[in-house]
Amino acid sequence: MKAWEKNFRKVEPYTPGEQPVFADMVKLNTNENPYPPSPKVAQAFALLGNQAGKCRLYPDFKAEVLVGALSDYYGLEKNQVFVGVGSDDVLSVAFLTFFNSDKPILFPDITYSFYDVWAQVYAIPYERPALDENFRIRREDYYRENGGIVIANPNAPTSIAEGLEFIEDIVRHNTESVVVVDEAYVDFGAQSALPLLEKYENLLVVQTFSKSRSMAGMRIGYAMGHPGLIQAMNDVKYSINSYTMNYPSLVLGTAAVEDEAYFKECCEKIIKTREWAREVLGRMGFSCLESSANFLFAAHGSVPAKKIFTALRERGIFVRYFDKPRIENYLRITVGTREQMERLFYALSEILR
């Protein structure tokens, strides 16, 4: 090792889902929305060509047009909304802003695997209370001193959501630390913690445009909370990179928020397809956890998940496999269109026979 290498920050990086590019593939591995963004987004996108000259200018560092649209949509004040480059960026800023003590932050042992990466990068001590045998959070594990709490609800990769009373109980037991509720999948059937913002100044709710609004490629995420939390996050953000949101993202994100009817229609289609797919998988010998997300977490009764994953991949069908303790026999299957799911089931019928 060279002398200057000793000062490198060593961390095991987050492993994103594979992004294959094959003709006629079925991509069900990264929880993207199978439907296009709102037609209003397409219209706004077409108009961007006429405004290309604006790309020579820095975007509004306050992102006021998008912040305003989100605050109007959720009935909040503008100073209660923070926006960033995808919810990953928002969560990263939250970690850096709020988790600055010697006490460990807490999040489940099976959850979004970026949490421990951020904790390592920012030298934040952390502990991971184990989910119970049914992959559910034990609320009493969070009734102790800590430097902060992060709960994904619905959880990933398990797809399980806890109710509002459950989330409030954890927030109520932790009024001396910030509780972050990551709601990336909340629009597919779970209860949002947003109603709790009126009661708890230490609660931060994080959502994204990547899933329910079909805009993963635009990288738009946002957080909602007490003005004091949002101001603290902005202070950190402006100290790192004031201009995080590019001009097209601001314009297209605003257009997406303004089309509530299309948003709800897409969510309803995914929920309907998810419930049908769960029934079909059950008849094929899979057990699926109850899902409130746009994916299913499934294990077959006799065929190992890795074998199924490999066989599907050979057929151009991509799902997510986690080679990790306790979940090594599960596959995470994104809910696609009905046609995509039918191709998946045909392939599974060949693999399992």
Side-chain angles (χ1 to χ4, degrees):
M1 177 182 291
K2 298 179 178 64
W4 41 266
E5 289 183 300
K6 295 178 182 179
N7 296 322
F8 285 10
R9 189 181 298 277
K10 302 293 185 181
V11 63
E12 184 176 344
Y14 170 73
T15 303
E18 183 180 6
Q19 295 290 352
V21 181
F22 296 104
D24 201 33
M25 68 178 179
V26 177
K27 189 171 182 291
L28 304 174
N29 65 325
T30 50
N31 297 342
E32 293 148 325
N33 196 311
Y35 303 107
S38 159
K40 289 189 177 182
V41 173
Q43 294 167 9
F45 191 87
L47 292 174
L48 282 175
N50 299 325
Q51 302 170 350
K54 290 188 176 181
C55 290
R56 69 182 180 84
L57 304 173
Y58 285 109
D60 173 19
F61 72 96
K62 293 184 179 180
E64 287 191 349
V65 63
L66 181 56
V67 168
L70 288 167
S71 62
D72 289 344
Y73 184 81
Y74 289 106
L76 300 171
E77 298 297 324
K78 289 183 179 180
N79 62 2
Q80 291 182 274
V81 179
F82 174 94
V83 296
V85 186
S87 60
D88 287 341
D89 177 49
V90 174
L91 287 163
S92 177
V93 173
F95 270 61
L96 189 58
T97 304
F98 303 125
F99 303 152
N100 189 33
S101 88
D102 296 331
K103 301 171 186 176
I105 64 170
L106 307 176
F107 49 84
D109 65 332
I110 301 173
T111 190
Y112 187 31
S113 55
F114 226 141
Y115 299 156
D116 54 342
V117 174
W118 285 316
Q120 292 172 43
V121 168
Y122 298 135
I124 301 167
Y126 66 97
E127 295 179 7
R128 303 187 301 172
L131 298 178
D132 69 16
E133 64 278 7
N134 297 312
F135 297 115
R136 303 197 81 108
I137 295 170
R138 297 182 178 95
R139 67 175 81 185
E140 59 271 17
D141 289 341
Y142 298 84
Y143 293 174
R144 57 189 173 94
E145 198 172 26
N146 61 76
I149 290 174
V150 186
I151 300 292
N153 194 52
N155 197 14
T158 65
S159 76
I160 295 174
E162 303 295 350
L164 188 60
E165 183 277 330
F166 185 100
I167 297 298
E168 181 173 11
D169 183 67
I170 291 178
V171 179
R172 186 172 59 247
H173 277 86
N174 293 279
T175 55
E176 295 186 1
S177 59
V178 173
V179 178
V180 177
V181 181
D182 181 358
E183 296 186 341
Y185 302 99
V186 73
D187 296 316
F188 301 106
Q191 289 180 286
S192 175
L194 281 172
L196 301 179
L197 293 183
E198 296 181 0
K199 297 174 63 176
Y200 301 97
E201 295 183 3
N202 64 316
L203 172 64
L204 188 77
V205 178
V206 178
Q207 295 188 12
T208 178
F209 281 52
S210 296
K211 316 301 181 186
S212 55
R213 294 193 184 276
S214 306
M215 296 181 71
M218 291 309 301
R219 312 308 300 130
I220 304 172
Y222 54 106
M224 296 165 285
H226 185 270
L229 299 184
I230 301 304
Q231 182 61 54
M233 290 181 70
N234 276 322
D235 288 346
V236 170
K237 170 187 171 181
Y238 298 154
S239 300
I240 299 171
N241 179 6
S242 298
Y243 302 102
T244 56
M245 300 296 296
N246 65 64
Y247 175 66
S249 291
L250 294 176
V251 172
L252 302 183
T254 301
V257 175
E258 293 172 348
D259 196 349
E260 183 176 11
Y262 182 83
F263 161 71
K264 289 185 174 180
E265 178 187 349
C266 286
C267 289
E268 288 169 2
K269 285 196 292 187
I270 289 170
I271 292 169
K272 184 177 180 179
T273 303
R274 179 189 71 204
E275 296 310 304
W276 163 72
R278 190 174 181 222
E279 291 179 6
V280 175
L281 287 169
R283 293 196 296 269
M284 301 180 80
F286 286 89
S287 59
C288 298
L289 301 187
E290 185 175 348
S291 176
S292 295
N294 68 336
F295 60 89
L296 293 164
F297 202 51
H300 194 268
S302 58
V303 183
K306 189 171 184 178
K307 180 179 179 179
I308 298 172
F309 166 79
T310 302
L312 285 172
R313 197 178 190 285
E314 292 170 350
R315 290 166 170 79
I317 299 175
F318 296 85
V319 297
R320 192 77 187 265
Y321 170 68
F322 298 91
D323 189 10
K324 296 182 177 181
R326 299 184 67 193
I327 59 173
E328 69 276 1
N329 201 39
Y330 282 83
L331 297 172
R332 194 190 69 187
I333 304 170
T334 302
V335 177
T337 63
R338 191 174 181 96
E339 292 74 21
Q340 288 175 320
M341 302 309 287
E342 286 174 345
R343 284 186 58 185
L344 168 69
F345 299 146
Y346 180 79
L348 287 173
S349 67
E350 292 184 329
I351 295 166
L352 299 173
R353 66 186 177 192

